[in-house]
Amino acid sequence: MPVKSPNTLSRLLTTAALGIVLCAGPAAADIRFWTTEEQPERLAKQKEMAEAFEAETGIGVEVIPVSESDLGTRATAAFAAGDLPDVIYHTLQYALPWVEAGILDAEAATEVIDELGTGTFAPGALDMAKTDDGWASVPVDGWTQMIVYRKDLFDEAGLEPPTTFAAVTAAIEALHNPPEMFGFVAATKVDENFMSQVLEHVFLANGATPVGPDGFMGFDEKKTVEVLEFYKVLADASPEGELYWDQSRSLYFAGDAAMIIWSPFILDELAGLRDSAPPTINEDPTSAALASMTGIVTNFAGPSNPDGAAWGDIRYFGITADADFDEAQEFIKYSMDTGYTQTLSIAPEGKFPVRRGTQDDPTAFVDAWSKLDVGVDRKAPLSELYAASMIDEIVGGLDVAQRWGVKDGQLALASKIINSQAINRVVREYIDGNISGPDAVKKMNEELAGIE
């Protein structure tokens, strides 16, 4: 039997003390829940769920909105003051560092995952929060970046879906016919985070990473030159200028682009459900015609990484070291089981179910999620807008979701490397023809080596 950690001993004593208190009085202790979903409509839904949980369990939950940009500093200050909430809804970047700092209790989270069933969760979402003995936090929801493409045009031309560098290149050769049709719209504006995100996706697809278990290791020349050459193909098939998310969406919506890389937040817009970003491919801005013509790819592979990768953004429930453990665990289990469809309904187009279903019904939550309404000015469920195979592709990306540095415990360093935008700048130099591939790899590695 493994030796109990100090955290476990503390929790056992806390639970025993709580049992004495509960025997003496009828009221269960309330818990506090920090959430970064602070928009009024989303906050209201979370409070409704907290009320439903209290009605079922008698445990009150105070839902406290925290701006995502302030989450790190607020958690550190609350930890120092001994005033952490019980549960924190947080981004991937905090999972492992907060366990190391003592802010989160990984054993408490692991117990929840074990009880719900590890096999019911998307493997990629679990892998990103994996510790030596379990998991730092409980995966809640996530999304994967996608290659959005004109499936109708691919089918007409007899093209394979754009799942590999080679398939994308073949599609560009067949479909690129500017100005009527651009083969791709690549991100080329170096000071936009969109370019950083797209590039990480493409680098991951070919297994190219700047970090390893011991920190910065530099990009492998062969893999990275392959990425650079491929990205130049994308840039050469794009309009001129500094391009980012706005141009890529606008060109695709107008029917002038065969492929783009985007987040799933485009899915409701594609179907004409948002007036601020209507499809312009025909005269009806509310038409779902473009959605019916569209396919997506989440797992994408380069020549040096045939298994490919999906770029994923996962969110988690962390149980803090100051938590009332039993109550916190009950709240998370409720939110990931009985209340999970309600959890996802906060923003279904960007909250893919990382828990697929239950052990008795393995697809229960995917099925329920696909029937949730998406959209802003009009509403419709994804299952009415997109084929079942596309829903499976959307959700399946979470099985192989990755980010630089996660598996090696170097996410913080990788984030600093990305935020430096040095990769963006050198890639732009390369696609503009100002530097060779090997020299670009050397320059990136030299610039990135000083980041700590």
Side-chain angles (χ1 to χ4, degrees), residues 25-60:
D30 289 347
I31 60 173
R32 291 181 297 155
F33 169 50
W34 279 8
T35 175
T36 54
E37 297 285 15
E38 57 180 340
Q39 300 93 327
E41 286 187 6
R42 297 185 184 188
L43 197 58
K45 286 188 176 182
Q46 291 168 96
K47 289 180 177 178
E48 287 173 9
M49 190 170 71
E51 291 168 2
F53 172 70
E54 183 175 9
E56 181 168 311
T57 64
I59 301 170

Side-chain angles (χ1 to χ4, degrees), residues 231-405:
Y231 207 76
K232 182 167 175 54
V233 170
L234 303 188
D236 288 346
S238 304
E240 294 183 2
E242 296 191 324
L243 308 171
Y244 58 106
W245 59 265
D246 188 38
Q247 294 94 337
S248 61
R249 180 179 64 182
S250 296
L251 285 159
Y252 190 83
F253 278 14
D256 297 335
M259 292 174 280
I260 60 173
I261 290 179
W262 239 81
S263 80
F265 294 97
I266 202 172
L267 293 172
D268 60 335
E269 299 170 353
L270 271 171
L273 301 178
R274 188 187 296 254
D275 289 342
S276 62
T280 56
I281 195 168
N282 58 33
E283 294 180 357
D284 181 3
T286 68
S287 169
L290 186 58
S292 70
M293 302 173 190
T294 293
I296 64 151
V297 164
T298 52
N299 191 40
F300 178 48
S304 290
N305 184 35
D307 290 337
W311 186 99
D313 180 47
I314 314 294
R315 307 297 169 112
Y316 296 84
F317 282 143
I319 300 173
T320 74
D322 295 343
D324 288 321
F325 291 102
D326 288 348
E327 287 82 355
Q329 289 178 320
E330 287 304 313
F331 174 64
I332 293 175
K333 284 186 284 187
Y334 176 87
S335 301
M336 296 300 300
D337 195 70
T338 303
Y340 192 40
T341 302
Q342 191 173 359
T343 299
L344 299 172
S345 74
I346 293 169
E349 67 277 6
K351 290 182 175 292
F352 300 173
V354 297
R355 190 171 185 233
R356 305 290 196 240
T358 65
Q359 296 184 43
D360 294 331
D361 188 352
T363 64
F365 299 127
V366 174
D367 296 341
W369 167 80
S370 73
K371 296 177 175 64
L372 292 172
D373 281 344
V374 298
V376 175
D377 301 288
R378 285 158 297 283
K379 303 282 187 178
L382 286 172
S383 59
E384 289 185 7
L385 303 172
Y386 299 104
S389 59
M390 190 158 158
I391 299 292
D392 291 342
E393 177 71 23
I394 290 169
V395 176
L398 293 171
D399 289 340
V400 291
Q402 293 182 33
R403 294 280 285 280
W404 279 340

Side-chain angles (χ1 to χ4, degrees), residues 124-190:
L126 287 177
D127 288 347
M128 286 192 183
K130 191 167 182 58
T131 66
D132 290 340
D133 303 314
W135 297 275
S137 301
V138 181
V140 183
D141 59 70
W143 57 270
T144 52
Q145 198 159 245
M146 312 179 305
I147 297 178
V148 179
Y149 70 100
R150 285 289 298 276
K151 187 176 184 300
D152 60 327
L153 300 181
F154 274 65
D155 291 346
E156 287 172 13
L159 295 165
E160 294 294 320
T163 56
T164 64
F165 284 15
V168 170
T169 301
I172 287 172
E173 290 173 354
L175 300 177
H176 183 58
N177 182 32
E180 288 82 11
M181 179 65 65
F182 290 95
F184 213 97
V185 187
T188 57
K189 194 172 189 300
V190 298

Side-chain angles (χ1 to χ4, degrees), residues 381-448:
L382 286 172
S383 59
E384 289 185 7
L385 303 172
Y386 299 104
S389 59
M390 190 158 158
I391 299 292
D392 291 342
E393 177 71 23
I394 290 169
V395 176
L398 293 171
D399 289 340
V400 291
Q402 293 182 33
R403 294 280 285 280
W404 279 340
V406 172
K407 289 184 178 179
D408 298 318
Q410 298 292 339
L411 179 62
L413 175 58
S415 297
K416 291 176 183 176
I417 286 171
I418 293 162
N419 293 340
S420 74
Q421 297 180 334
I423 296 170
N424 299 10
R425 292 192 297 271
V426 177
V427 168
R428 184 63 196 257
E429 281 189 62
Y430 174 79
I431 62 178
D432 286 344
N434 298 327
I435 192 172
S436 71
D439 284 346
V441 179
K442 182 180 179 183
K443 185 172 183 178
M444 275 192 285
N445 287 340
E446 288 174 349
E447 290 197 24
L448 300 175

